[in-house]
Amino acid sequence: MPEPQKPAKAPQKHETRVLDPRSLRGLAHPLRMQLLRSLRHQGPATASQLAERLGESSGATSYHLRQLAAHGFVEDDPSLGKGRERWWKAAQQGIRWDESLDRNSDPDVRGAADLLLHETASHHTQELSTWIATRHEWPAWAGASDMSDFTLRLPPAAVRELGERLHALIDEYRDAPEAEAPDAARVRLHLHAFPQREA
């Protein structure tokens, strides 16, 4: 019988973690990324609950949770644990990429960066595909969702400024009163900005 699910607690503050080479290597594993994503999106859980949620063994989830904890991505939630039952929660609600990682010459760091970026891109694609396949189940959201793309001609400094302004705008909506509206739902925003060679 599955363990009862505890309701997700809303984060008090949207804390982010800046990745460095060590923490990047600690996170860059497909199951660890799934575990962290699940704790961030669905709230605290035990290793057994996460194993059931992700279709993994509890031994695997326990091991990788301990690895995530060693790198400071997850921590115990003592408010939920009873006896030997260990509940885990995300230590932060997001990560930030340190641009020095792109210039790092260590093959292990470069490999970890590639894995993390590819896994993230695959997850974004999966989320978007799920939305497209199920959008008819969300009639009130017709016209509210967005899947746009734009092509601009900008130097790197302007793209950086644009990203910072977009992030600041998104942050304004984190604690907006509309979050408590009866028709509010968790909304995922994907933002990608990258150069392309011209034909």
Side-chain angles (χ1 to χ4, degrees):
M1 179 176 205
E3 297 177 58
Q5 297 287 324
K6 297 286 185 181
K9 293 181 179 178
Q12 299 299 317
K13 183 180 175 189
H14 187 83
E15 295 182 25
T16 57
R17 165 84 179 270
V18 179
L19 292 177
D20 58 25
R22 181 180 180 278
S23 60
L24 169 64
R25 288 192 302 264
L27 178 59
H29 183 283
L31 181 53
R32 290 180 200 168
M33 294 175 68
Q34 289 177 40
L35 290 165
L36 184 56
R37 189 180 306 119
S38 182
L39 291 172
R40 285 180 176 160
H41 293 183
Q42 278 112 22
T46 64
S48 297
Q49 289 172 335
L50 289 163
E52 184 174 334
R53 193 182 291 169
L54 300 176
E56 296 286 341
S57 71
S58 58
T61 57
S62 292
Y63 170 78
H64 288 292
L65 283 165
R66 289 193 302 274
Q67 294 302 307
L68 286 168
H71 291 276
F73 290 105
V74 302
E75 59 193 14
D76 284 316
D77 189 340
S79 68
L80 295 174
K82 297 175 188 162
R84 298 183 62 190
E85 186 178 57
R86 188 174 191 182
W87 285 76
W88 296 93
K89 65 179 180 178
Q92 307 89 23
Q93 288 301 310
I95 58 171
R96 283 193 305 127
W97 190 260
D98 186 310
E99 63 187 61
S100 67
L101 294 172
D102 289 320
R103 297 188 296 269
N104 195 301
S105 60
D106 183 337
D108 289 340
V109 173
R110 294 176 76 101
D114 286 349
L115 188 146
L116 186 135
L117 292 173
H118 281 287
E119 286 291 323
T120 300
S122 294
H123 183 70
H124 287 181
T125 301
Q126 179 185 8
E127 286 184 326
L128 186 56
S129 295
T130 299
W131 159 248
I132 291 168
T134 61
R135 69 189 185 284
H136 64 278
E137 298 171 13
W138 300 79
W141 289 77
S145 66
D146 186 28
M147 192 171 75
S148 301
D149 64 85
F150 307 90
T151 302
L152 308 172
R153 185 169 180 82
L154 298 169
V159 175
R160 183 191 309 272
E161 178 190 353
L162 176 60
E164 289 171 354
R165 290 174 66 187
L166 288 169
H167 284 226
L169 178 61
I170 291 165
D171 281 341
E172 290 179 21
Y173 285 83
R174 285 196 193 282
D175 298 317
E178 293 84 359
E180 302 305 320
D183 59 347
R186 185 173 70 204
V187 174
R188 295 285 289 150
L189 298 174
H190 296 175
L191 176 62
H192 306 278
F194 52 88
Q196 280 186 321
R197 302 218 182 271
E198 298 184 38

